[in-house]
Amino acid sequence: MYASPMHYPALVLNADFRPLSYYPLSLWSWEEAIRNVFTGRVQVVSEYDTCVHSPSLEMKLPSVIALKEYAKPVSQVAFTRFNLFLRDMFSCQYCGVQLPAQDLTFDHVLPKCRGGRTHWENIVTACRPCNTRKGHLSIKDAGMKLMTPPYRPSSFELQEHGRFFPPNHLHESWRDFLYWDTELED
C-alpha cells in the first residue's frame, strides 16, 4: 500500500521526549521517519495503524519518534514570517484582530524609506487594511498606536505561544507530548 506523506507525518521528539520544536511543530514525512528508524537515529514511540510494505518487510508507520541522542535547542530564535506571527499571536498589532497567517502581513514600524531596518525590533504583524492605512507613514503620522511594541522573543515564549495554535493535523498519539501543562484525566 502506498501511504501519502501528507497523511502520516511523524512527531519528532528530542531524547528527553519533548518536541524538538513547537514553532513550527517538528514533523517528518513517513519516509524520513522510516529512514531514520533503519539508520538507528530514532526510536519509535507510537505507530499509526497503516503499514508500508517492501518485498521482504511489513512495517507500521511511526506516528511519534524520539531522537536517541539529545539535540541541544537553538538559543536564538530565527527571524521568520511564521515566528513573527507567532510572537504577535497571529494578531494585527494595530487593531488587534486575530487572523490566519495567509491573511496577515508584516509592517515596518519605522518605514524602510525612512531608514527602518528589517529586524525583530522594527517589524510587527499587521492585517492588510491597517498595513495599507499606515503605508509609508510613521505610526504618529498615520494616527495609529501599537498594541505591543516589537521585540525579540525568546525560544521559550514562542514555544508557549505555539501551544495556542496547533497544526491542522494532530494525531491522538501526539497529545501526551504536546501539552505538558494539561490536567490529567482520572
Side-chain angles (χ1 to χ4, degrees):
M1 161 186 192
Y2 175 74
S4 168
M6 296 301 290
H7 299 292
Y8 298 99
L11 174 64
V12 184
L13 306 176
N14 211 333
D16 64 358
F17 285 77
R18 293 182 188 213
L20 205 52
S21 170
Y22 279 100
Y23 54 95
L25 190 58
S26 50
L27 301 176
W28 286 353
S29 69
W30 66 269
E31 294 102 337
E32 189 173 3
I34 287 176
R35 188 171 30 257
N36 280 281
V37 168
F38 280 108
T39 61
R41 184 172 174 221
V42 299
Q43 64 182 356
V44 177
V45 178
S46 185
E47 300 169 320
Y48 291 106
D49 291 331
T50 303
C51 294
V52 289
H53 308 272
S54 76
S56 60
L57 179 70
E58 177 177 299
M59 177 182 182
K60 284 188 173 184
L61 292 175
S63 65
V64 180
I65 54 178
L67 299 177
K68 288 186 176 178
E69 291 186 25
Y70 184 78
K72 186 177 177 185
V74 293
S75 57
Q76 289 276 342
V77 173
F79 182 60
T80 66
R81 184 181 214 67
F82 181 83
N83 286 347
L84 174 71
F85 293 165
L86 191 56
R87 177 199 70 186
D88 294 343
M89 302 287 286
F90 292 86
S91 298
C92 175
Q93 294 304 293
Y94 298 111
C95 70
V97 68
Q98 192 175 64
L99 296 166
Q102 66 266 21
D103 295 331
L104 293 170
T105 63
F106 63 88
D107 181 61
H108 289 78
V109 176
L110 177 62
K112 288 175 78 171
C113 64
R114 295 182 183 206
R117 310 257 335 240
T118 304
H119 57 73
W120 283 112
E121 293 81 11
N122 191 47
I123 302 286
V124 294
T125 301
C127 67
R128 293 182 198 288
C130 286
N131 200 345
T132 301
R133 178 178 158 211
K134 182 176 169 288
H136 296 293
L137 301 172
S138 69
I139 295 173
K140 183 180 177 184
D141 292 344
M144 300 170 82
K145 292 184 180 178
L146 283 170
M147 305 289 281
T148 305
Y151 63 95
R152 178 183 299 273
S154 69
S155 176
F156 176 78
E157 178 182 10
L158 288 187
Q159 285 187 11
E160 290 301 306
H161 286 194
R163 294 173 191 223
F164 294 102
F165 303 98
N168 295 337
H169 173 82
L170 276 181
H171 190 262
E172 62 188 42
S173 64
W174 302 356
R175 297 193 190 277
D176 287 338
F177 303 101
L178 294 180
Y179 304 106
W180 294 90
D181 56 353
T182 56
E183 191 173 323
L184 298 174
E185 295 178 20
D186 289 334

